[in-house]
Amino acid sequence: MNYKSTNNKSEIVNFDQAVVKGLADDKGLFFPLEIPRLPDSFFENLKTMKLSEIAFQFLKPYVGNVLTEKEIADILNDALNFEIPLVKVAENVYSLELFHGPTHAFKDVGARVMARFLAKFSGKNKKVTVLVATSGDTGSAVASGFLDVEGVEVVVLYPKGMVSTIQEKQFTTLGKNITALEISGTFDDCQRMVKEAFMDKELSEKMNLSSANSINVARFLPQAVYYFYAFAQLKDTHKPVVFSVPSGNYGNLTAGLFAKQSGLPIDKFIASSNINNVVPKYIETGNFEPTASVQTISNAMDVGNPSNFARILEIYNHSWSEITKNIEAYTFSDHDTRKTMREVFEENNYILDPHGAVAYCGLRTYMQKHDVVGIFLETAHPAKFFETVEESIPIKVKIPDNLQESLKREKLSIQMNNSFDELKHFLLNTFVNSELTKV
Ligand SMILES: *Cc1c(COP(=O)(O)O)cnc(C)c1O
C-alpha cells in the first residue's frame, strides 16, 4: 500500500516510510491511497475468526510487501495477546472491553502493534526517537509497548497535574529507554511541541524522529480490528448495529470508519465527547473550530484540536453531509458522566470508567430514538481512574497487580516549560551531543 499526505503536497510513501516518519513532510497525516474492501469470504467466516487472524486479514494490504506474511502474522500474534471481550450490560447494550492489555487501556492495541513494526523498520545503527504527547493513556501504552525495544528511544510529554496518579506512575517510573517530560501546560501544548519538533529542520537532520500518537498509521490502523472482532462475538441480530466511541483525538473513531469502509455493516457511529466538543459542533454546524482544551474527569479526551479529523474529512471527501450521515455526535458534562457511572452501577451492576461512561451516555441518548444494537467502547479499566470512580460509586475499585506495582515505584520525570526551544535543546543535548561525545 502507498500512502499520501492529507495535505496532498508531499511525496507518496510506503508503509515502512509512513511508520518511521510519523507525519508527512507537508505536516499532513499519512493516508492510504485506497481503503480496500475485504472479500465476502472474510465476512462469512468472521464469527469463527480469532482476533489475530482478523488483524492479519485487515492489515495485510496496508503493510503491503515491505514485510513477508509470516513477519506480519508474527508481529500481530505477539502484540495482540490479550482478550477483547464483548460484555452484555443491558438488553441490546454491550461493552467492548478494550482494557485487558498490559497498561489497561485501549491504546495498548495500537501501541503494541506499532512498537513491533517500528522495531522492524528502524535500521540497526540509526536510532529512532519516538516523541509522544499524552493526555494520560498514550504515554503508558507507548512506554510499555516500547520498553527495552532495541534502537528506539521514547520521550513522553505530559501536562503537569492533569493525568491520574496511576497513569503518571505507569510511564514516569520505567527508566531505561523511556524518558518522561512533565510540561507546565496543557495536552495541547504537549501536542504542539511534538508537532514543532517534527517541523524543525535541524532536529530532523540530526535525529530520526518518529511519532507514536494516533497520527502514526501503525497505531491507528490496528484499532479497526476490534470493530470486526466485536461483530464476530455478537450473537445473531436483525437490528442495525451502532458503535459509541468516547473520543478525544478521534483515532479510535477514524479506525472504526476504516472498518466500515472495508465492508463492515456498521449503521452509525456515535462520537461521544466531553465538553471538549469541537467535533460535535462541526457535526451540528459544519464549521470546524479548534479551541483550547478544558480539563475534565475523562482526561484522555481533553483535546481541543483533534488531529485525526483530517483523516475523517479525507474518507468522506470533505463532505459534511456524508460525514453527518455516518456520525452522530453528543457532548456530556462531568456531571452527566458521574451520574451515568452511578446509574449503570446501580441498575446493571457494571463499573464504567469515566471515558466508557461518556460513551455510554452517547449510546443511551441515541437509543432513546433508535431501535438498534448498541456497542460502546470501554477504553480504560476503572482502576486507572479509581479516585473519580470511587467519588461517584459507593465501592472500592480493585486495582490490578501490575498497576499496584507501578504505584510503588519512584517517579523519574524531568520538568519543562511549555516551550519548544526547551524541548529542542533537551533533545539535542540528550540524544545528539551525548552520542557525539561517545565516539
Ligand atoms: C485516548 C483515549 C480516548 C480517546 O481516544 P481517541 O482515539 O484519541 O479519540 C478515550 N478513552 C481513553 C481511556 C483513552 O485513553
Side-chain angles (χ1 to χ4, degrees):
M1 175 72 71
N2 287 325
Y3 294 80
K4 63 176 183 174
S5 158
T6 50
N7 287 347
N8 281 315
K9 294 189 197 93
S10 286
E11 79 283 35
I12 303 288
V13 299
N14 275 334
F15 182 70
D16 55 341
Q17 294 163 306
V19 174
V20 173
K21 286 174 85 100
L23 204 64
D25 289 335
D26 65 5
K27 282 77 165 170
L29 275 60
F30 286 117
F31 194 90
L33 291 190
E34 54 162 343
I35 301 179
R37 245 190 120 75
L38 285 155
D40 291 346
S41 58
F42 172 87
F43 293 102
E44 283 155 18
N45 295 330
L46 187 58
K47 297 251 181 224
T48 63
M49 286 167 80
K50 290 198 303 199
L51 179 66
S52 54
E53 282 175 72
I54 297 173
F56 176 76
Q57 295 299 341
F58 175 78
L59 286 168
K60 196 176 49 164
Y62 292 99
V63 179
N65 53 15
V66 298
L67 294 177
T68 65
E69 292 200 345
K70 173 154 190 333
E71 284 172 314
I72 301 172
D74 285 349
I75 284 176
L76 296 172
N77 279 329
D78 190 44
L80 303 176
N81 61 351
F82 50 89
E83 274 308 301
I84 302 185
L86 186 73
V87 174
K88 187 169 179 176
V89 174
E91 206 45 42
N92 293 321
V93 176
Y94 296 85
S95 169
L96 185 63
E97 293 188 348
L98 298 168
F99 57 72
H100 296 279
T103 75
H104 304 282
F106 88 97
K107 292 191 173 77
D108 281 327
V109 174
R112 287 172 63 79
V113 175
M114 181 190 160
R116 284 156 183 78
F117 278 126
L118 193 61
K120 271 257 184 289
F121 300 146
S122 67
K124 281 275 175 292
N125 29 24
K126 263 196 303 172
K127 223 175 202 189
V128 175
T129 305
V130 170
L131 278 186
V132 60
T134 184
S135 54
D137 283 342
T138 303
S140 46
V142 169
S144 148
F146 283 85
L147 185 65
D148 288 324
V149 171
E150 223 172 290
V152 183
E153 289 284 341
V154 174
V155 179
V156 180
L157 286 79
Y158 72 102
K160 186 183 173 76
M162 295 193 198
V163 302
S164 82
T165 317
I166 285 190
Q167 286 181 320
E168 184 176 38
K169 286 280 179 157
Q170 278 186 297
F171 58 80
T172 60
T173 62
L174 296 167
K176 298 187 181 171
N177 60 331
I178 313 294
T179 306
L181 302 178
E182 185 174 11
I183 307 296
S184 306
T186 61
F187 169 69
D188 293 330
D189 289 325
C190 299
Q191 186 148 271
R192 172 184 50 78
M193 289 164 75
V194 168
K195 283 194 178 147
E196 279 185 57
F198 286 116
M199 294 179 214
D200 189 86
K201 246 196 137 80
E202 187 183 0
L203 282 178
S204 56
E205 274 162 17
K206 293 187 173 163
M207 299 180 70
N208 213 349
L209 285 181
S210 190
S211 149
N213 279 100
S214 50
I215 53 179
N216 197 302
V217 290
R219 238 206 73 196
F220 103 89
L221 284 172
Q223 296 172 356
V225 172
Y226 43 72
Y227 290 87
F228 295 98
Y229 192 53
F231 265 77
Q233 295 176 73
L234 205 56
K235 300 275 170 295
D236 276 330
T237 171
H238 300 292
K239 293 184 202 283
V241 176
V242 304
F243 279 88
S244 176
V245 187
S247 294
N249 244 332
Y250 282 80
N252 210 356
L253 195 138
T254 305
L257 298 172
F258 269 65
K260 179 167 183 176
Q261 295 296 104
S262 313
L264 192 66
I266 299 172
D267 192 60
K268 194 73 108 179
F269 289 88
I270 299 151
S272 297
S273 164
N274 62 29
I275 53 168
N276 294 284
N277 60 353
V278 178
V279 173
K281 279 194 182 143
Y282 167 83
I283 299 287
E284 193 187 321
T285 64
N287 298 319
F288 184 73
E289 288 167 3
T291 58
S293 63
V294 181
Q295 201 180 350
T296 73
I297 58 169
S298 45
N299 66 25
M301 293 152 56
D302 296 349
V303 182
N305 187 5
S307 40
N308 279 289
F309 187 69
R311 287 194 173 115
I312 297 181
L313 290 175
E314 193 67 38
I315 294 173
Y316 296 111
N317 277 322
H318 294 250
S319 158
W320 176 73
S321 71
E322 279 305 308
I323 291 173
T324 53
K325 262 186 226 157
N326 287 282
I327 306 173
E328 193 112 345
Y330 303 110
T331 304
F332 300 99
S333 67
D334 281 354
H335 175 78
D336 299 328
T337 308
R338 288 184 194 279
K339 188 160 164 281
T340 299
M341 286 162 71
R342 203 156 46 235
E343 287 167 358
V344 172
F345 179 69
E346 282 165 6
E347 287 162 28
N348 311 97
N349 200 23
Y350 190 82
I351 304 173
L352 293 164
D353 99 290
H355 306 79
V358 172
Y360 191 96
C361 286
L363 186 59
R364 186 170 52 189
T365 307
Y366 185 82
M367 287 179 80
Q368 278 159 5
K369 295 220 176 98
H370 302 85
D371 185 21
V372 295
V373 165
I375 299 173
F376 66 97
L377 304 194
E378 182 38 290
T379 44
H381 192 295
K384 290 197 90 168
F385 302 92
F386 71 91
E387 292 110 325
T388 309
V389 174
E390 289 176 3
E391 280 161 20
S392 314
I393 309 178
I395 47 146
K396 193 101 189 99
V397 180
K398 189 170 171 336
I399 311 224
D401 291 346
N402 66 341
L403 291 182
Q404 203 79 325
E405 274 308 304
S406 51
L407 275 174
K408 289 186 207 140
R409 290 196 299 258
E410 190 195 344
K411 165 173 155 184
L412 304 167
S413 33
I414 297 168
Q415 308 274 334
M416 189 175 284
N417 290 313
N418 56 353
S419 135
F420 169 66
D421 287 339
E422 272 188 48
L423 174 65
K424 178 171 174 179
H425 189 75
F426 170 83
L427 291 174
L428 289 174
N429 270 336
T430 314
F431 301 110
V432 180
N433 298 338
S434 68
E435 289 293 315
L436 290 180
T437 51
K438 268 187 215 155
V439 281

